[in-house]
Structures are given as structure tokens and as C-alpha cells.
Amino acid sequence: MPNHKHFLVANWKMAMTTHQALDFMKMLSVQEITDSRTQVIIAPSFVTLPALHQWITQHSTPIALCAQNSAAMQSGAYTGEVSAVMLKETGCDYVIIGHSERRILFGEREPDLSTKVELAFQAGLTPIFCFGESRDIYESGKTNDFLRKQLAPYSAKLPFILAYEPIWSIGTGFIPTYDDLARTVGFIRSLFPDTALLYGGSVNGSNIDSLLQHTTMNGFLVGGASLKPDVFYSLYQAMNQR
Ligand code: PEP
């Protein structure tokens, strides 16, 4: 396994207002989040980024900020879009690209996703590129073929972070068997041997220890279980005890 730092990414989706996000930060044991082996990354909504950036700066905590999406265009007349440069200026270091909700609900696909990745790099952001198969593909045993196609536009030399997120596992409480996960991870690592690889999909306080024990991921992208400070903190603790 490549010798990467480990990452714990909270994807808050559209679940928290800025007010709620600041309450979360007050309740999180931030003084315990020291810059050790696990980089904590929070992805709030666009509008919450400035307030969270201010909070993080004031409290000198090593938590990093991430956007949940960015535009496939550099700048210009694109009402409602937010560019990678704007995100960098707002204090982001990371941006999630290609989340399955963006792909399924908002029709995002290649070549726009590759353009987003490229623009993120140009702006000085690290893309966290999400990919993963549907339940049908998983059950028909075609996961590797599907993932290979999803990852085909990307060079193994790109310094991005990959987040393998089986669509059928997101928000469902189901995770792949450890054998399946190990096989899929092995396959992804054969394509991207030097890239940090995260797993996302129903990670929670009950399964994180087993996931850490049975797999060789560089961390996790967490949705539902990242919304409660005590639960999220317990994930952080589990990662630091590994
Ligand atoms: C996600 O949305 O990327 C995710 C992994 O969500 P959850 O942890 O709720 O499955």
C-alpha cells in the first residue's frame, strides 16, 4: 500500500445550514483533532465555506475544507456555477468531483468530469474523484470492467485522491463483503498503484473497525455518519487507533 497520509472526509451534502455547521464545530472535540496521521476534511455546502474557514482559522485546527462540486468552466456567464478558483480563494484545499449524486441526479459525465479535475488542479485544489458501480453491475460481476471505464480518462500519475463509492452502498446501510472489497481495491490499486484510495458507502461507528481491519484503504468518505459530532469524532478515533 502506498505510504499516504490517511483521510477522513465528511460529505455534509445539503444537510446542514451554516448555523448548524458552526454548532457542529463547537461540539466536535476539535482540540483532540491534532495533525497526526489522519487528515480530517469537511465538505459543507458552498455558502457555509467562508464561515467554516473563518472558524478553522480562528481555532488553528488542522481540519481542511472541501467543496462538494465545482464548475466545468473556468469563469464567465454561467449562472449558478462556482469555479475552482473561487473555491480556492474561499479556503478550500479539496473538491469532490463525480459524486454519484451529481452523476445520477444532475447528469454529470465525461468529459466534464475530466475538465473539472483539470480545473481543480489549475486552481491548486486536490480533487477527490468519486466513482463506483450500481447494484446491477455489482451483482452481475462486472464491477471491474465498469470501474476501468470510469477511470479510463485519468492518468495514474495524477496527484488526486480516489474515492471508491459503490452506488448501492451510499446511504443504504449495506457495504460490500470484505472479500469483494479487497478484490475491488486490489484491482483499483493495480491501475493506480500510487494514488490514495478512500472507501465511501455507509461507513459508521459499527463497521469502521472491521473496515480498517479487513481492508487497506487510505481512509473514508462519510455521508450520514459525519453529521453528528460525536459519531464523526468516534470515526476519527478509530482511524487513529489502527
Ligand atoms: C456519500 O454520500 O458519499 C456517502 C458515502 O454517504 P453515506 O456515508 O451516508 O453512505
Side-chain angles (χ1 to χ4, degrees), residues 42-225:
I42 295 185
S45 80
F46 286 141
V47 293
T48 298
L49 287 167
L52 228 50
H53 179 56
Q54 194 183 10
W55 199 95
I56 285 167
T57 308
Q58 276 169 358
H59 290 79
S60 304
T61 153
I63 295 173
L65 274 183
C66 180
Q68 298 174 15
N69 183 28
S70 59
M73 299 75 79
Q74 206 143 23
S75 75
Y78 302 105
T79 303
E81 290 293 304
V82 179
S83 75
V85 169
M86 292 170 180
L87 294 170
K88 183 68 186 176
E89 194 185 74
T90 310
C92 285
D93 287 317
Y94 299 86
V95 57
I96 295 172
I97 293 175
H99 191 280
S100 62
E101 285 153 15
R102 300 293 321 166
R103 293 176 191 256
I104 295 167
L105 302 173
F106 301 98
E108 293 195 5
R109 57 179 68 88
E110 298 295 349
D112 283 356
L113 297 174
S114 304
T115 306
K116 288 182 182 211
V117 167
E118 177 56 32
L119 291 174
F121 281 129
Q122 283 175 20
L125 298 171
T126 298
I128 301 175
F129 184 77
C130 299
F131 61 102
E133 80 288 357
S134 65
R135 178 170 283 287
D136 280 356
I137 292 170
Y138 177 69
E139 284 175 353
S140 62
K142 295 189 177 134
T143 296
N144 290 0
D145 287 346
F146 183 79
L147 300 185
R148 188 198 301 279
K149 281 189 201 123
Q150 275 194 316
L151 293 169
Y154 301 96
S155 156
K157 294 202 176 80
L158 285 180
F160 60 174
I161 296 172
L162 290 175
Y164 169 55
E165 298 209 303
I167 297 169
W168 53 272
S169 179
I170 295 178
T172 60
F174 296 111
I175 61 172
T177 64
Y178 296 122
D179 281 353
D180 281 349
L181 200 48
R183 263 194 297 274
T184 307
V185 167
F187 173 71
I188 299 164
R189 287 207 194 280
S190 72
L191 302 175
F192 289 83
D194 300 322
T195 305
L197 177 60
L198 316 185
Y199 168 77
S202 296
V203 176
N204 59 40
S206 311
N207 59 25
I208 193 164
D209 286 332
S210 305
L211 280 164
L212 285 165
Q213 203 185 327
H214 291 102
T215 62
T216 60
M217 239 68 71
N218 301 105
F220 303 101
L221 200 165
V222 186

